[in-house]
Amino acid sequence: LRLCFMDQTTQQIKMPPVSIQRVLISESVDPRCRSILQENGIEVTERQNMSKDELLAEIKNYDGLIVRSATKVTAEVVRAAGALKIIGRAGTGVDNVDVDAATKNGVIVMNTPGGNTISAAELTCALVLSLSRNVAQADMSMKAGKWDRKKFMGSELFGKVLGIVGLGRIGKEVATRMQSFGMRTIGYDPITPPDVSAAWGVEQMSLEQLWPQCDYITVHTPLMPSTTGLLNDETLAKCKKGVKVVNCARGGIIDEEALLRALESGQCGGAGLDVYVEEPPMQRALVNHPNVISCPHLGASTKEAQARCGQEIALQIVDMVKGKALVGAVNAQVLASTFSPESHLWIRLGEAMGSVLRAYTSSKQPYSKVQVTTLGERLKKSTEFLSSAVVVGLITDGSSHGANLVNALALAKETGLSGLDSAACVVEVSLCGCGYKALGSVQAGVPVLLQLDGCVFRQPVSLAGHLLFFKAESSPQLLPSVTGALAAGGVEMESFSASAASGGEQWFCVGMSSLLGDLASLRSLVKEAAQLTV
């Protein structure tokens, strides 16, 4: 099956791709978050410290949820939220959100990646400084009435090597600040190009090269399978004896048991920890170690960061609802290119064409191949969202409303639909060795079908309302017979389009007042028939 999108003059309209009416804020965020949402017509409820059962019971009443770190948005929570459209995390990372479950259910997951950058970077620097001069330990000693100057001999940072694992926003800010102390900064990042990090003073290298050079190591990566236990018995053994480590990113990047062993052996000379595998940590051996400075996850705990994150998540949601932009979405990149005056028309066209082909080929599924192609300069960057829109139409029947642009491609894989080609923009579906084709466009602000399976319609078929497609031999008696069959079923004909072929079998389309209760009455009149509501 092939779908082709033609770029023609379209009516300039703007409409929000996502409607958010009620938002639940389940944790303490800056008051501006609530006020910004309310000023833009969104109803807001704040309920903190809910139990899991309370959240499961409450979430079904909202189409938006805003959290920080404490609320665990599990797959169970996502499933319970029948109307949920967006999960907003007021902070960096989304470790407390089951992103896969959200994506599968068509829910956008959004964070504020830059909101707490400065605060997290400053805490990291504070821990490096504190480790170098034993500040926390000296303070506790003084409070105990002691005066142990010799016990807390420190070392200068000047001339020391700081290894930064993860050179994103926070890693960059840490590097530039610690360079002011005369530290040499080296780092590792699989994404940031070496010439980019070199521009702000960080020499990139492999981890194998990095470990033995560092006097201090700080980690600033997401927690994922490839970064879990990144610092472990093996990698710590490759470091200088007495190396000091800092983790203000995510608990689990450093193997806590391995770190404790390294601290006890002296291989690690100290650690500054703000995050833990379990929060709060129940195993206290690491927290209580004399060479460890521990904080209760304070990376984003500044007035400035909380105000920034709370305001940013609210503004991002408002911009999305108003159709201005999509910022911070971690699982819906396809939507980022849909915020243009005419993209919504093309999305409607894609879904409608997918629905036409689904109805047309319903007896022949499953599809073995689908290809989407665009024609026209302006549609070159539209292939991804058009492909998703087509899939929504192909896999959504009249009783299902679960598919949208967020989860369409994931659901397509589950249903075995393959072969989506995002290098072009035509849609092809192959079934049992046969190919089917539809060609559509947007004309005067309306999605229209121009061709179906090689048959060109004399008048473009408006893809809206109740439609009946049928294939038959053209004859003077065909239209009256079909009209009579519709009338017998209590259905009025509202429009009629025929293909331009002069003879032989061809496709016709009828716009109807409602769907026929049964297509059996047409079987003696036509070869194939399919009806749908767009």
Side-chain angles (χ1 to χ4, degrees), residues 318-370:
V318 168
D319 282 348
M320 179 192 68
V321 170
K322 290 186 174 182
K324 291 182 178 179
L326 182 65
V327 177
V330 301
N331 70 332
Q333 292 83 354
V334 64
L335 293 180
S337 57
T338 65
F339 289 81
S340 67
E342 60 186 44
S343 63
H344 311 292
L345 294 171
W346 291 102
I347 291 169
R348 284 167 52 194
L349 172 68
E351 291 183 2
M353 292 178 71
S355 296
V356 169
L357 288 166
R358 174 183 50 77
Y360 169 29
T361 61
S362 61
S363 63
K364 307 178 181 70
Q365 294 182 23
Y367 307 109
S368 57
K369 181 182 179 181
V370 175

Side-chain angles (χ1 to χ4, degrees), residues 95-178:
D95 296 343
N96 55 316
V97 178
D98 190 326
V99 177
D100 289 340
T103 302
K104 186 175 180 179
N105 285 273
V107 180
I108 299 169
V109 179
M110 176 186 290
N111 68 351
T112 55
N116 60 8
T117 296
I118 300 300
S119 294
E122 289 183 353
L123 180 61
T124 300
C125 296
L127 289 174
V128 172
L129 287 161
S130 296
L131 287 171
S132 73
R133 300 303 295 270
N134 301 302
V135 173
Q137 295 89 334
D139 175 68
M140 288 189 292
S141 176
M142 285 288 290
K143 284 180 169 58
K146 300 178 182 179
W147 186 262
D148 295 325
R149 294 184 66 193
K150 293 183 179 180
K151 182 177 181 180
F152 300 114
M153 179 69 68
S155 60
E156 293 181 350
L157 294 178
F158 183 82
K160 301 301 190 299
V161 177
L162 173 64
I164 305 172
V165 181
L167 297 170
R169 294 179 180 87
I170 298 173
K172 175 184 176 181
E173 297 298 334
V174 169
T176 55
R177 282 157 177 75
M178 298 317 296

